[in-house]
Amino acid sequence: MTENAVGRGTVLAGRFRLEDLVTETEGARFWRATDQILARSVAVNVISDHDPRAEALLVAARTSATVTDGHFLRVLDAAEEDGVVYVVHEWGTGMSLDKMLADGPLPARRAAWLVKEVAEAITTAHRQGIAHGRLIPENVMVTEAGSVKLIGFVVDAVLHGRQPSAEGESVPLSDHESDVRNLGALLYVTLVGKWPGLPGTRLPEAPRDHGRALRPRQVRAGVPRPLDTICDRVLNGGQNSHQLPLETAHEVCAALSDFIGDPATAAQVGYEPTSVIPAAGLEGLRSGVRTGDPEATQVSPPHRDEDDDRTAATGGAASAAGAAAAAGAGAAAAASTPPADPDATQAGAPLFYDDDSGIGWVSDTPGRGLRSDESAQRTPPPPPPPFPEPEAKPLFAPGPPRAAAASGAAAGAPGSASDTGSASAPGGFGRSSHGTGSLPPVWGPDAPVEPPSTDSRSENAGRGWMRLAVIVATCLVLVLAVVIAFNLGRGSGDEDTTPAGEEPSGSAGNEQPARPLAIAGVRDFDPEGDPAEENTDLAPLAVDGDPGTAWKTMTYYGNPQLGLLKDGVGLVVDLGSAKEVSSVQVDLVGQPTDVELFATPEGQGSPSTVDGLQQVGRSNGAGQRATMKLDEPVTTQYLVVWLTSLPATSDGFQGQIAEIVVRP
């Protein structure tokens, strides 16, 4: 077997059957496959064994499998077989971060929680000396259960290349440093929708000033100041003398845990909240000089403002003037009555510091004085409850959502997914990959969690008796219903003599429907597929007279309209010769299904495309049966039953046709 010989239907390791080619990038093919033993979908990366990345891919797969963390999609198998090298991963169902941001930035708390989950996973990997290597929005996914999963751990960096250093970097970053830098970039992009990290994503770049990304609050109003500071400490760490950089994944995780109100996680990784004031800053506080955020505009104690998540700074010329006056007065007072101990505050003047605004002040409340060394040793109080998310206030008018634009482009550009049914995209994941599903209605830090049972044995016993009572009651009701139905049937003397496949007669005139036309043959019809086949062996099940068997389409992902990969797929019905047709009945499995009916012109052979065919019927949103009565009977030999929108299944969208009945 060679890489070119690998196609739909190929079985790897005697177990994994390739179903859908999702993307093909630089010789690396990404497939959705079926694990025939466990009957589940899996993801498979395949390259030629002559590819220079082949050996590194196997090493990366084995390395990835050593990290046991629930945030990573696990490697299930990796091997070299018959001329190809493949890696099998878990298949994830959810939505990738780049798709989520198509509708705009995330709320602040949800953004912080998502990146914290990513940072927890990267912390676990870094402790074992392993880096992700390509931590971009396309490789971060929120599943349909509301959990965060990372795609392409170690493997993606081998297949698509490690991210180059950012412009202006004098020393190339290591994979571990790249992960930490991109953690800050992930937080940044979730807050403002712009990417400030290393190259490799399709999202727009963040605006820069002299090679340095602008802070989130300079790009979009309403970003909480603590998250703005975390981004700056990761992306521009060390460039500001008043704050320490965040240089490891666990430091980023702890800082985000502190923001969303999870002090246990912060303490677990050894994070110290920013409320401890260095001794060097005391003189500035006594004199009224600001020691925190240079953007702050107040010296007096900060006040709460509903327009910001935490502490809002007052602005304007009047506030600035008042601040200058207060600073001068404070300096004069300090000069006239200096404290006895240069490292201690005055008696009755405790020291306070606000994390969000970066402002410190001295209170004049008697009896509450603290020395700076005592305050540094005290355990800070837990953070206050979070304020409601502020309404997003972009500085500039937003453009059209990228997802809508992309869908419109795909709909208006024939062949945009190519004849292979794939859509190549940076990062190696296309339209039908496991990052384009749906999200749960509620997810993130405030999603409800079901409390654990306090007494599982007693609860299970109670539930067992309840289930038994329900079963007994149901059986009694069923027996009673059967007896009543039997007696009513005997009394009425009516029998249902409608044969299988026939519709019951109407009440008007007791007119019987016409006998169905004989069907000479049926075949699958997939003109836009490569190869042009869609479960060929199952096609006869659609006309075998047994409604319990059905022809099935492939499973499509991301959109009921065949994943936006094709216009439609269906069956060609051969009547043996040209015959007059007035109605067609299609029995379906699942709902809703959009069905169209085409007829070939009289004398024309079996169709190879729907172009040039006459559309004679249509049923949108059909349930278990679609009956299409023609306005005028047509004479034709070949009919095309064409499915354009498929019902949802447990892992995608799939159409099924159980029976086709054609009547004159």
Side-chain angles (χ1 to χ4, degrees):
M1 185 193 305
T2 64
E3 184 190 11
N4 293 331
V6 173
R8 180 185 296 172
T10 301
V11 178
L12 299 174
R15 174 174 181 176
F16 305 107
R17 184 179 187 273
L18 303 183
E19 302 286 359
D20 300 311
L21 178 60
V22 179
T23 59
E24 183 173 4
T25 307
E26 299 177 354
R29 294 185 176 185
F30 177 70
W31 291 83
R32 184 192 69 84
T34 298
D35 183 342
Q36 298 183 120
I37 295 179
L38 299 179
R40 62 179 178 178
S41 293
V42 293
V44 181
N45 288 289
V46 181
I47 62 174
S48 169
D49 61 353
H50 298 300
D51 193 295
R53 300 166 291 179
E55 184 177 354
L57 179 62
L58 289 175
V59 173
R62 298 186 187 108
T63 302
S64 171
T66 62
V67 179
T68 56
D69 187 282
H71 291 95
F72 297 112
L73 293 177
R74 296 177 300 151
V75 169
L76 304 176
D77 194 11
E80 178 180 350
E81 177 182 301
D82 296 335
V84 297
V85 172
Y86 64 88
V87 178
V88 182
H89 284 87
E90 286 181 300
W91 181 268
T93 304
M95 183 176 293
S96 59
L97 180 57
D98 62 309
K99 297 291 189 297
M100 294 164 55
L101 295 176
D103 295 327
L106 303 181
R109 276 178 56 78
R110 183 170 287 180
W113 175 85
L114 187 150
V115 180
K116 178 189 78 74
E117 293 290 305
V118 177
E120 286 181 359
I122 298 302
T123 298
T124 301
H126 284 190
R127 283 173 178 167
Q128 299 186 38
I130 302 172
H132 186 288
R134 196 173 176 82
L135 199 59
I136 57 177
E138 287 83 345
N139 285 339
V140 177
M141 177 181 68
V142 176
T143 69
E144 293 181 347
S147 60
V148 176
K149 295 285 187 179
L150 298 187
I151 303 169
F153 180 50
V154 186
V155 171
D156 202 51
V158 173
L159 288 176
H160 306 288
R162 287 172 169 79
Q163 293 178 281
S165 298
E167 184 178 354
E169 291 282 353
S170 57
V171 179
L173 297 176
S174 67
D175 286 347
H176 289 70
E177 293 171 329
S178 168
D179 283 355
V180 177
R181 178 74 60 88
N182 279 356
L183 282 175
L186 287 173
L187 179 61
Y188 190 109
V189 76
T190 57
L191 294 171
V192 303
K194 308 290 183 181
W195 177 254
L198 303 178
T201 179
R202 73 190 72 172
L203 295 179
E205 294 185 5
R208 295 180 177 272
D209 182 19
H210 295 88
R212 171 180 171 179
L214 297 180
R215 295 179 65 152
R217 287 171 68 89
Q218 295 175 298
V219 179
R220 176 175 175 265
V223 175
R225 194 179 301 274
L227 297 184
D228 178 85
T229 301
I230 292 173
C231 289
D232 194 52
R233 292 174 68 185
V234 177
L235 299 174
N236 304 309
Q239 299 186 22
N240 295 322
S241 58
H242 67 279
Q243 58 179 288
L244 296 176
L246 297 176
E247 298 178 332
T248 63
H250 80 269
E251 289 177 350
V252 176
C253 176
L256 294 172
S257 299
D258 186 53
F259 172 80
I260 63 176
D262 187 5
T265 303
Q268 183 179 5
V269 296
Y271 174 74
E272 296 182 2
T274 56
S275 57
V276 178
I277 306 175
L282 292 175
E283 290 298 332
L285 292 176
R286 297 193 190 97
S287 63
V289 178
R290 292 175 296 160
T291 61
D293 192 338
E295 296 181 7
T297 58
Q298 65 179 17
V299 177
S300 60
H303 68 276
R304 297 289 180 184
D305 190 331
E306 294 181 355
D307 291 337
D308 202 341
D309 276 11
R310 299 271 184 155
T311 303
T314 50
S319 298
S336 61
T337 57
D341 187 349
D343 292 333
T345 60
Q346 296 180 0
L351 194 60
F352 292 87
Y353 189 74
D354 183 72
D355 296 344
D356 304 330
S357 65
I359 303 301
W361 72 91
V362 177
S363 171
D364 57 358
T365 304
R368 295 179 59 190
L370 290 175
R371 294 172 57 92
S372 62
D373 54 350
E374 293 174 352
S375 64
Q377 295 174 2
R378 287 188 54 176
T379 302
F387 282 80
E389 295 288 354
E391 181 181 358
K393 296 176 285 187
L395 296 179
F396 306 99
R402 291 187 295 280
S407 299
S416 60
S418 82
D419 291 339
T420 63
S422 65
S424 298
F429 299 95
R431 288 177 181 162
S432 59
S433 70
H434 49 185
T436 56
S438 58
L439 292 172
V442 180
W443 63 275
D446 302 318
V449 178
E450 184 178 354
S453 174
T454 56
D455 188 353
S456 59
R457 289 183 300 177
S458 61
E459 185 176 353
N460 290 338
R463 289 179 178 176
W465 280 108
M466 182 65 69
R467 283 194 295 267
L468 180 60
V470 171
I471 292 172
V472 172
T474 303
C475 292
L476 291 175
V477 172
L478 288 175
V479 170
L480 182 60
V482 169
V483 171
I484 294 175
F486 180 77
N487 291 332
L488 289 176
R490 291 179 60 188
S492 63
D494 296 332
E495 292 186 7
D496 184 8
T497 58
T498 304
E502 298 272 355
E503 290 184 342
S505 60
S507 58
N510 294 325
E511 186 175 330
Q512 295 288 342
R515 294 180 61 85
L517 295 174
I519 296 177
V522 64
R523 66 175 176 87
D524 61 302
F525 188 60
D526 186 16
E528 299 177 25
D530 184 13
E533 59 182 31
E534 192 93 359
N535 289 332
T536 303
D537 54 330
L538 300 180
L541 300 179
V543 294
D544 63 352
D546 182 3
T549 60
W551 169 80
K552 304 177 182 179
T553 70
M554 297 293 183
T555 302
Y556 294 86
Y557 299 90
N559 192 291
Q561 297 177 353
L562 289 83
L564 299 179
L565 298 174
K566 306 175 184 177
D567 293 330
V569 68
L571 297 173
V572 174
V573 178
D574 181 7
L575 301 178
S577 61
K579 297 179 182 178
E580 187 178 83
V581 177
S582 62
S583 71
V584 175
Q585 171 188 311
V586 181
D587 290 344
L588 304 165
V589 178
Q591 58 183 332
T593 306
D594 289 355
V595 186
E596 296 180 8
L597 181 65
F598 293 90
T600 60
E602 188 174 0
Q604 181 174 318
S606 181
S608 59
T609 177
V610 294
D611 295 338
L613 301 184
Q614 178 186 1
Q615 182 175 333
V616 295
R618 183 176 193 145
S619 178
N620 290 334
Q624 301 298 320
R625 173 172 293 180
T627 302
M628 292 167 282
K629 296 182 178 180
L630 283 58
D631 295 335
E632 294 290 339
V634 298
T635 301
T636 183
Q637 179 178 349
Y638 298 98
L639 294 169
V640 175
V641 179
W642 187 244
L643 307 183
T644 59
S645 182
L646 310 178
T649 62
S650 59
D651 60 347
F653 300 91
Q654 183 182 56
Q656 299 186 46
I657 298 178
E659 286 299 315
I660 299 176
V661 178
V662 183
R663 289 190 173 88

